[in-house]
Amino acid sequence: MTGIAYEDFLDTSYEPADTDLVCEFYLEPAAGMDIEAAASRVASESSNGTWAELQVDEFVDLSATACGIDGNRVTVAYPDALFEPGNMPQVLSCIAGNIMGMKAVERIRLLDCLWPAPLATSFPGPQFGSRVRDELFDAGDRPILATVPKPKVGLPTEEHARIGYEAWTGGIDLLKDDENLTDQSFNPFDDRLTASLAERDRAVEETGEPKSYLVNITDETAAMLERVDRAAAEGCEYVMVDVVTAGWGAVQTVRDACEDHGIAIHAHRAMHAAFDRIENHGVSMRVIAQIARLCGVDQIHTGTADLGKLENEDTVGINEWLSSDLHGLADVLPVASGGLHPGLVPELIERVGTNVCIQAGGGIHGHPDGTHAGATALRQAVDATVAGIDIAEYAADRPELAAAIDRWGTETPR
């Protein structure tokens, strides 16, 4: 008989190997169980343990080790051989799978991961990352800018494209579908793609600036691949994927297809809060962003550093990780979005820097003079901030920015 007792998965003297995937968890043990017992069960369940003694003569030891305990924070090291290279669903089934529902823990949250070179480099990482600012837009020192036509669903194709033209010519770089606009009857995918790109081309000719379109291809995987091909054939530089709802395996497949066409992936994080909003349970946005980078997205929403309408979780720290060295993999461009308007731009850039994409919806289309003026106001606020000029001073002879400040001030919406 061969087996491993729960206590065999706990060794606080263990020093993780360079090839180990090291994960940090927040744990609240179940009633009647101490943190050591809970930690050992997490390491067991997420690797090769079970609750019963086994009738097995031989097996490969793939045990994880709970190697650090600091209050409710537990560090678990996983051996490299536990993971199939380049298979994100399998990795997550280990480190964020059954353990999320174990009776041994009242609450458990995957806080952070330290990705070793063998596992990290088995994934492709981003094709472009933040290089899109220079290679697609020649944006210089400023953030690139994006907008979603509002309302985000319900606009007919022609109106969607018209709003895109108004935004592009006002100074926006990217028109973006929102998370729940795909191929509905009121605005079919193919019609929207061709109509929007025609308006993009008109805007490029008028402004002399590069412009692009984040068309939402989210669907089951085969349909997404068809939409990648369609977007590429029409000359679109991007596709957008709702990465959490589509699933990480599908994202990996789309990443391969996008590389074949040389187009970038914009990641919308819809549904992320189902995993990360409760502070003591689930999976942190930091880890979700890490997974997205490994799977190969080029830009992803990471929040507004508490300035917008949505809950945020360490936006600055996540953005810093997305730009950090990861065994040679490209970085990811963070996207700040959700309740932004021109009056928030100076504080936002102070908090998150300029190597970002700033996206505003209502803060553009809700401008009293319409979408074109709203886009102009956002661009003016960015240009002023990057130049070190107070936006109120800059607005003195720029009526679009003045009207935006008059309407919204510097208040954060809810």
Side-chain angles (χ1 to χ4, degrees), residues 355-398:
N355 190 34
V356 297
C357 174
I358 297 176
Q359 178 188 305
I364 286 177
H365 309 295
H367 191 283
D369 297 316
T371 292
H372 186 274
T376 302
L378 184 66
R379 179 68 174 266
Q380 290 168 344
V382 168
D383 289 344
T385 302
V386 171
I389 303 171
D390 181 82
I391 61 169
E393 176 186 342
Y394 203 70
D397 57 355
R398 291 170 176 84

Side-chain angles (χ1 to χ4, degrees), residues 154-237:
L155 292 172
T157 300
E158 296 76 12
E159 182 66 3
H160 183 280
R162 182 195 69 78
I163 291 173
Y165 169 80
E166 296 292 332
W168 277 315
T169 55
I172 296 301
D173 303 292
L174 282 163
L175 181 70
K176 176 186 167 296
D177 292 345
D178 221 342
E179 76 282 357
N180 53 350
L181 178 63
T182 52
D183 189 24
Q184 294 100 313
S185 59
F186 61 85
N187 195 352
F189 178 88
D190 285 346
D191 294 348
R192 185 173 74 254
L193 177 65
T194 55
S196 297
L197 292 178
E199 293 301 280
R200 175 205 64 180
D201 292 345
R202 189 157 72 101
V204 168
E205 184 175 353
E206 291 185 20
T207 64
E209 293 183 341
K211 308 291 181 182
S212 194
Y213 176 34
L214 305 174
V215 61
N216 186 2
I217 66 167
T218 305
D219 199 341
E220 56 84 28
T221 308
M224 287 200 290
L225 296 180
E226 292 176 2
R227 291 175 185 178
V228 169
D229 291 342
R230 182 86 172 97
E234 291 295 323
C236 195
E237 297 87 355

Side-chain angles (χ1 to χ4, degrees), residues 10 23 26 69 71 179 182 226 246 260 276 298 329 389 402 406:
L10 177 67
C23 297
Y26 171 87
I69 298 177
E179 76 282 357
T182 52
E226 292 176 2
D260 291 340
D276 67 30
D298 296 287
L329 297 183
I389 303 171
D406 184 63

Side-chain angles (χ1 to χ4, degrees), residues 26 272 277 351 373 379:
Y26 171 87
H272 76 97
R277 183 163 182 168
R351 295 185 188 187
R379 179 68 174 266

Side-chain angles (χ1 to χ4, degrees), residues 34-116:
D34 60 27
I35 190 71
E36 289 80 9
S40 65
R41 282 161 172 77
V42 168
S44 169
E45 181 63 33
S46 55
S47 60
N48 66 339
T50 188
W51 64 273
E53 188 176 62
L54 304 178
Q55 306 297 319
V56 177
D57 294 326
E58 182 180 356
F59 68 93
V60 176
D61 186 3
L62 300 174
S63 300
T65 303
C67 57
I69 298 177
D70 182 7
N72 290 96
R73 289 180 177 250
V74 172
T75 302
V76 179
Y78 296 88
D80 181 63
L82 178 64
F83 304 110
E84 178 183 353
N87 185 341
M88 187 57 71
Q90 187 270 339
V91 173
L92 292 176
S93 291
C94 295
I95 65 173
N98 285 352
I99 56 175
M100 294 294 164
M102 292 176 63
K103 290 182 178 179
V105 295
E106 183 68 24
R107 292 286 186 269
I108 177 171
R109 183 177 179 85
L110 177 56
L111 297 170
D112 199 1
C113 297
L114 181 62
W115 298 90

